[in-house]
């Protein structure tokens, strides 16, 4: 039985909380919330479950004092990217392993200035830090990298993701963190703090790929694009006004010293009709070399009445919770799953 603390109770956190309460091998011992309105509420009430006897708190000192094996850390990603680090360092130093869905997938990508305090906290607390999920933290690192192992020669990995945000209901997330509704004449989000945030987050994948294929990154270039609303678009979170950002394409390409390149494109859209009517929630992968490989991963909801985003939330939290025994058994420091049999130019 693993003693678990749930950190934050947004959409990801509530899903995680339900899974923890329902799981036969997990014991919920604490819940951290940011909202004072939620503080003092029973975890079962937050998760639409019977009362558990565990009450939420907004006091980190109470969380640090708990005896727990692991903290499931599911806050929203914030500006700046490293804003979450201070709390995570305190959790680690208190002796608790941390599994996050909000970063920490490959901390060494940012250099010692970023990674060293986190690693030192792990050593002080004899604890382990892992960033797990679907993307980042799962699909590319564990599935796409495994597929490259079928190549005798690797030239280019091209991964394209689309997420349909039309049914998302959080204005703070859709119009804030996703950048929808921005007027490009007043603010170019492809060059500002938002672009830096996503470069830091998804840049960890590029560092992991280099590690997996035993190659050094020699260049890393962004090529972001915006799609503007042709008319007012009513979506779950509000209205995207005509002429403002209705979709963001975050795209980067890295080159490695073994001759391989890797392109990651992430399209977040308020309406798939803006892009030829493609449906969201899937990845398309083309691996070019000898031989060429094409893959599609579709994570979708089986219940037509449920919001499309629920499937990806379920998958993300399944990956995080599945990692509990492996992270708890790992040596102090940073944890990530090894890419199974990834391509290597040299053996």
């Amino acid at each position: 039985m693993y003693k678990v603390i749930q950190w934050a109770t947004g959409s990801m956190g509530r899903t995680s909380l339900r899974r923890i309460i329902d799981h036969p091998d997990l014991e919920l011992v604490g819940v951290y919330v940011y909202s004072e309105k939620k503080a003092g509420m029973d975890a079962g009430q937050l998760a639409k479950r019977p009362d558990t006897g565990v009450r939420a708190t907004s006091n980190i000192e109470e969380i640090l004092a708990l005896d727990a094996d692991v903290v499931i850390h599911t806050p929203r990603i914030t500006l700046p990217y490293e804003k979450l680090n201070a709390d995570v360092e305190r959790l680690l130093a208190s002796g608790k392993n941390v599994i996050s869905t909000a970063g920490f997938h490959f901390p060494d990508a940012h250099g010692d200035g970023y990674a060293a305090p986190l690693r030192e906290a792990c050593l002080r607390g004899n604890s382990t830090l892992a960033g797990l999920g679907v993307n980042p933290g799962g699909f590319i690192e564990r599935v796409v990298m495994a597929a490259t192992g079928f190549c005798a020669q690797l030239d280019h990995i091209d991964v394209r993701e689309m997420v349909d945000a039309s049914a998302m209901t959080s204005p703070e997330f859709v119009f804030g963190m996703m950048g929808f509704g921005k007027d490009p004449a007043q603010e170019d989000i492809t060059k500002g703090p938002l672009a830096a945030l996503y470069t830091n987050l998804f840049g960890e994948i590029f560092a992991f790929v280099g590690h997996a294929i035993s190659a050094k990154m020699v260049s890393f270039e962004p090529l972001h694009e915006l799609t503007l609303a042709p008319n007012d678009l009513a979506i779950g979170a509000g209205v995207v006004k005509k002429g403002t950002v209705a979709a963001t394409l975050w795209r980067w390409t890295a080159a490695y010293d073994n001759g391989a390149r890797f392109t990651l494109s992430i399209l977040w859209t308020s309406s798939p009709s803006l892009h030829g009517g493609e449906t969201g929630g899937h990845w398309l992968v083309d691996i070019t070399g000898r031989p060429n490989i094409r893959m599609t991963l579709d994570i979708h909801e089986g219940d037509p009445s449920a919001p499309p985003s629920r499937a990806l939330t379920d998958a993300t939290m399944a990956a995080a919770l599945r990692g509990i025994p492996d992270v708890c058994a790992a040596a102090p420091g940073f944890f990530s799953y090894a890419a199974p049999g990834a391509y290597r130019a040299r053996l």
Side-chain angles (χ1 to χ4, degrees), residues 8-223:
T9 57
S11 59
M12 288 282 183
R14 288 193 302 274
T15 296
S16 176
L17 192 54
R18 284 190 284 271
R19 301 293 175 269
I20 293 167
I21 292 171
D22 294 346
H23 203 290
D25 299 322
L26 303 178
E27 178 189 355
L28 181 71
V29 296
V31 179
Y32 180 83
V33 292
Y34 289 97
S35 168
E36 290 297 332
K37 293 180 179 179
K38 294 180 180 179
M41 292 177 63
D42 189 280
Q45 186 178 357
L46 292 170
K48 296 183 178 179
R49 292 292 188 271
D51 282 356
T52 63
V54 176
R55 297 199 171 273
T57 179
S58 58
N59 184 346
I60 189 174
E61 300 297 336
E62 294 180 7
I63 294 294
L64 295 174
L66 292 173
D67 176 23
D69 298 300
V70 63
V71 178
I72 302 299
H73 181 255
T74 63
R76 285 181 179 162
I77 297 167
T78 58
L79 280 167
Y81 181 62
E82 63 274 12
K83 185 178 179 180
L84 299 173
N85 289 29
D87 287 340
V88 171
E89 288 166 17
R90 294 188 70 187
L91 291 169
L92 293 166
S94 74
K96 299 168 182 61
N97 300 299
V98 175
I99 297 175
S100 181
T101 61
F104 311 103
H105 305 286
F106 201 71
D108 286 321
H110 307 294
D112 281 344
Y114 177 95
L118 290 165
R119 183 178 283 108
E120 289 167 5
C122 290
L123 295 177
R124 287 200 306 274
N126 194 34
S127 55
T128 303
L129 172 63
L132 298 176
V134 177
N135 190 36
F139 175 55
I140 295 172
E141 295 92 332
R142 298 165 66 182
V143 179
V144 176
M145 286 296 95
T148 66
F150 298 120
C151 293
Q153 175 183 320
L154 179 62
D155 297 330
H156 188 206
I157 306 165
D158 184 20
V159 179
R160 304 177 300 284
E161 174 183 347
M162 176 188 276
V163 175
D164 178 2
S166 61
M168 295 182 181
T169 58
S170 169
E172 180 182 358
F173 184 73
V174 172
F175 294 103
M177 298 307 295
M178 297 190 86
F180 291 179
K182 302 292 186 184
D183 183 349
Q186 297 180 3
E187 179 184 3
D188 183 359
I189 63 173
T190 67
K191 298 177 181 177
L194 209 57
L197 169 68
Y198 292 122
T199 295
N200 282 327
L201 174 63
F202 292 103
E204 295 184 15
I205 300 176
F206 290 85
F208 182 93
V209 168
H211 173 74
I213 64 174
S214 193
K216 180 181 179 181
M217 194 188 310
V218 295
S219 68
F220 181 70
E221 298 294 335
L223 185 60

